[in-house]
Amino acid sequence: LIPLYLSRTAFGSYRYTAEDFISPMVIPPEYYGRTKHGRRIFDLSLQHGTTEFFKGYHTPTIGINASYLGPVLRLKQGEFAEFNVKNNLNMPSTIHWHGVHLPARMDGGPHQEIAQGQTWKASFEIHQPASTLWYHSHLHNYTGPQVYQGLAGLFYVDDEFSQKADIPKTYGINDIPLILQDRSFYKDGSFRYVSNMHERMAGVRGGHILVNGVTRPLYRVQKKQVRFRVLNGSNARTYNLHFSDNREFTQIASDGGFLQTPVRMKRLRLSSGERAEIIVEFGMNDDVMLQHEPLPMNNLGMGMMAMMMSGDNQPFNIMRFASKNPDGDVVSLQAITYSSPILNPEDAIKTRKFQLDMAMGMGMMMGRGSGGGSAFSINNKSFDMNRFDEVVNLNATEIWEFTNNSPMPHPMHIHDIQFRVLSRNNGPADPNEQGLKDTVLVNPDETVRVITRFEHYADDRYPYMFHCHILEHEDQGMMGQFLVV
Ligand code: C2O
Ligand code: CU
Ligand code: CU
């Protein structure tokens, strides 16, 4: 019998050894919608349910067309998509399309709240290239708790390149989603969300790692070469992924699509909201763990100190892969080259600077909505739904510069667009950050510059959001709004 370590805030996953990883892996269903008058239509229901993460414990959860998480929505570049999002929850909610280029009023942010019992209709054309995007709740002040309970899912865009390229692409066979989330539980099996000041400041880190909603999963590999689309769907935790035998793997895509050339690596850092597509090769009889390795001290700042106190500076196991005589081909990935549009800094007509701060004094004693100002700010401002922080001109190419003055890393995300990372502290970005991205980790004392172009959609009433993707930071005001006009 596997010990559950329920109600221990942070220690479940640290104690599980390879032998504990025997839960069959679950792969979320794909959902292609239906076509009508040339449009692709998706019916999504936000609903309550229960999920048995631990045998005999029925955790109250929420999901999309399911009790926890949602289906993988499948779309193609050039298609016109329509979504009927019915809120069957006993509370308001929203569904935001993270990474999708779309009109602001279709974005599903805090301005598109769906009341209980109501259906929100969103529709937009898919302009962007093949990519692994996702969707999740973005309810004003309650994004963290709603995502924690399960309101999230994947959104795949395909295009001609992704359909023709010689890469693994059979869903569920050699193209496998891995949604990483960490959760804590009370003794009765219910989720344990924020319960103390440390969690409110550092963000909520659970002690049990879920992959596609499964604790301690064992994935039985069928193919010699498998593509994993990894989403860090955790509220706050950054993972530094590697395999227990230190094998090399290849990253082929980041948040917004394929890299120009694949990158060989042994470690993959993924912060909250980021995605990476990696390709892994398996032998005749492998039994290997995907693990988290603590990040170097200088990447963690005060978060590190806080995590040391909670025991979070230790490595832990995430999932297990076992292969027995896998079949299929192994194609050379180094040959794949992809040309995505280059954004030239010389074309930028403006540089916007954003100072990221966390007040460490009395500010941190105040919870959300306490009126006395928030502990988290961007350019000394806390989120205000009635204030437009930035106004961008349609078709402008701009550089956005994030400077982190706080002792903890912040994954910064911009709605509507995909950007390129120009630099980290004037040095180059990491090799796997050379493709299109919508979320980028900004470490303490770091300035990260990104470049993007705001195209197609203008609206002088509805804004887009930009924010830290640690959902507790976002909910406590580390977010701003911009209009594209
Ligand atoms: Cu993943 Cu503002 O969102
Ligand atoms: Cu987003
Ligand atoms: Cu943050």
Side-chain angles (χ1 to χ4, degrees):
L1 194 72
I2 298 166
L4 297 181
Y5 306 118
L6 295 180
S7 91
R8 292 296 305 262
T9 20
F11 300 102
S13 284
Y14 298 97
R15 298 187 185 188
Y16 294 132
T17 60
E19 298 72 53
D20 295 326
F21 283 71
I22 50 169
S23 322
M25 178 70 173
V26 166
I27 294 174
E30 296 176 280
Y31 183 23
Y32 283 85
R34 56 196 155 92
T35 48
K36 193 178 157 195
H37 308 309
R39 295 182 161 206
R40 193 169 286 284
I41 302 170
F42 297 87
D43 297 309
L44 302 177
S45 155
L46 316 185
Q47 58 197 53
H48 294 278
T50 58
T51 306
E52 211 174 338
F53 298 107
F54 300 99
K55 211 171 167 18
Y57 292 84
H58 299 270
T59 307
T61 49
I62 55 183
I64 303 105
N65 299 357
S67 62
Y68 185 75
L69 297 176
V72 177
L73 307 181
R74 307 256 2 200
L75 297 106
K76 233 196 124 176
Q77 187 181 37
E79 278 182 334
F80 200 95
E82 223 173 88
F83 302 88
N84 301 310
V85 187
K86 171 100 200 272
N87 182 2
N88 290 309
L89 303 172
N90 60 14
M91 54 190 161
S93 191
T94 84
I95 286 293
H96 162 60
W97 320 101
H98 178 129
V100 182
H101 175 47
L102 38 52
R105 61 181 200 289
M106 302 299 175
D107 193 37
H111 294 271
Q112 286 82 41
E113 191 168 310
I114 318 167
Q116 255 174 272
Q118 294 305 113
T119 297
W120 176 59
K121 285 182 186 294
S123 56
F124 44 87
E125 190 185 332
I126 307 293
H127 279 285
Q128 63 208 106
S131 39
T132 298
L133 313 171
W134 63 304
Y135 58 98
H136 61 77
S137 162
H138 216 301
L139 185 63
H140 183 46
N141 284 159
Y142 293 91
T143 298
Q146 290 204 340
V147 172
Y148 201 84
Q149 288 176 80
L151 275 195
L154 284 161
F155 186 118
Y156 288 2
V157 175
D158 269 298
D159 64 8
E160 251 165 63
F161 180 87
S162 71
Q163 291 183 323
K164 282 194 185 139
D166 200 4
I167 49 173
K169 47 176 167 301
T170 310
Y171 186 83
I173 304 291
N174 62 6
D175 181 1
I176 311 289
L178 301 179
I179 303 172
L180 308 185
Q181 299 176 305
D182 54 338
R183 296 291 183 267
S184 289
F185 298 84
Y186 287 112
K187 262 203 177 88
D188 64 358
S190 62
F191 279 142
R192 176 186 182 281
Y193 190 58
V194 174
S195 51
N196 60 41
M197 190 50 58
H198 165 247
E199 286 180 330
R200 203 168 284 154
M201 288 307 285
V204 173
R205 287 177 182 76
H208 293 266
I209 310 297
L210 309 181
V211 184
N212 301 343
V214 178
T215 60
R216 298 155 288 139
L218 164 59
Y219 178 61
R220 296 196 182 276
V221 177
Q222 304 168 53
K223 297 290 168 188
K224 287 181 191 156
Q225 191 174 43
V226 184
R227 170 184 183 188
F228 295 102
R229 305 200 198 199
V230 192
L231 159 67
N232 183 350
S234 305
N235 281 33
R237 193 187 282 277
T238 294
Y239 299 89
N240 189 30
L241 303 172
H242 77 114
F243 288 93
S244 52
D245 61 359
N246 222 19
R247 69 179 57 196
E248 272 200 334
F249 52 92
T250 308
Q251 185 175 348
I252 58 164
S254 56
D255 305 337
F258 291 102
L259 302 177
Q260 314 260 41
T261 49
V263 177
R264 293 287 282 170
M265 51 174 59
K266 288 181 177 172
R267 302 270 178 291
L268 170 65
R269 185 189 68 191
L270 214 57
S271 64
S272 178
E274 286 185 298
R275 287 87 64 207
E277 296 185 25
I278 59 169
I279 293 189
V280 185
E281 270 103 54
F282 293 95
M284 296 311 278
N285 210 348
D286 287 356
D287 194 338
V288 65
M289 300 299 297
L290 179 68
Q291 301 177 318
H292 164 77
E293 181 180 85
L295 285 154
M297 204 53 134
N298 57 3
N299 275 341
L300 291 164
M302 164 269 182
M304 183 67 188
M305 269 169 57
M307 276 185 268
M308 280 165 77
M309 292 189 294
S310 68
D312 206 7
N313 59 334
Q314 299 164 46
F316 53 80
N317 289 312
I318 295 170
M319 68 179 290
R320 179 177 173 192
F321 301 87
S323 60
K324 272 247 157 17
N325 303 322
D327 60 14
D329 304 326
V330 174
V331 301
S332 159
L333 299 165
Q334 297 307 317
I336 300 170
T337 55
Y338 178 77
S339 49
S340 58
I342 303 289
L343 288 153
N344 190 341
E346 278 155 30
D347 296 333
I349 58 160
K350 197 176 181 104
T351 297
R352 292 179 203 260
K353 300 188 178 204
F354 300 98
Q355 302 290 329
L356 312 176
D357 286 282
M358 272 167 85
M360 298 305 296
M362 279 308 287
M364 70 184 281
M365 303 309 288
M366 296 185 285
R368 141 212 309 165
S370 56
S374 165
F376 298 90
S377 62
I378 301 176
N379 287 345
N380 288 313
K381 291 177 291 183
S382 167
F383 181 65
D384 181 346
M385 247 173 110
N386 299 310
R387 183 190 67 228
F388 301 135
D389 300 279
E390 309 292 330
V391 179
V392 174
N393 288 324
L394 185 65
N395 292 322
T397 298
E398 297 196 357
I399 293 171
W400 285 28
E401 189 179 297
F402 298 102
T403 300
N404 186 353
N405 308 311
S406 84
M408 192 189 155
H410 300 284
M412 296 306 295
H413 166 52
I414 309 174
H415 286 208
D416 179 43
I417 52 86
Q418 294 286 335
F419 52 72
R420 280 181 184 281
V421 184
L422 289 174
S423 62
R424 289 186 172 274
N425 277 350
N426 297 318
D430 296 342
N432 66 334
E433 292 182 320
Q434 314 285 346
L436 291 172
K437 289 184 59 58
D438 55 50
T439 306
V440 67
L441 190 64
V442 186
N443 283 309
D445 297 320
E446 213 171 35
T447 293
V448 175
R449 302 171 81 230
V450 304
I451 186 168
T452 189
R453 191 174 149 85
F454 298 84
E455 292 176 299
H456 299 118
Y457 306 115
D459 193 323
D460 53 17
R461 280 182 48 212
Y462 287 101
Y464 298 103
M465 309 293 125
F466 62 100
H467 57 90
C468 174
H469 219 284
I470 291 179
L471 301 181
E472 289 70 38
H473 293 180
E474 175 197 325
D475 280 342
Q476 289 174 87
M478 200 167 208
M479 174 154 71
Q481 313 194 86
F482 66 99
L483 285 175
V484 177
V485 297

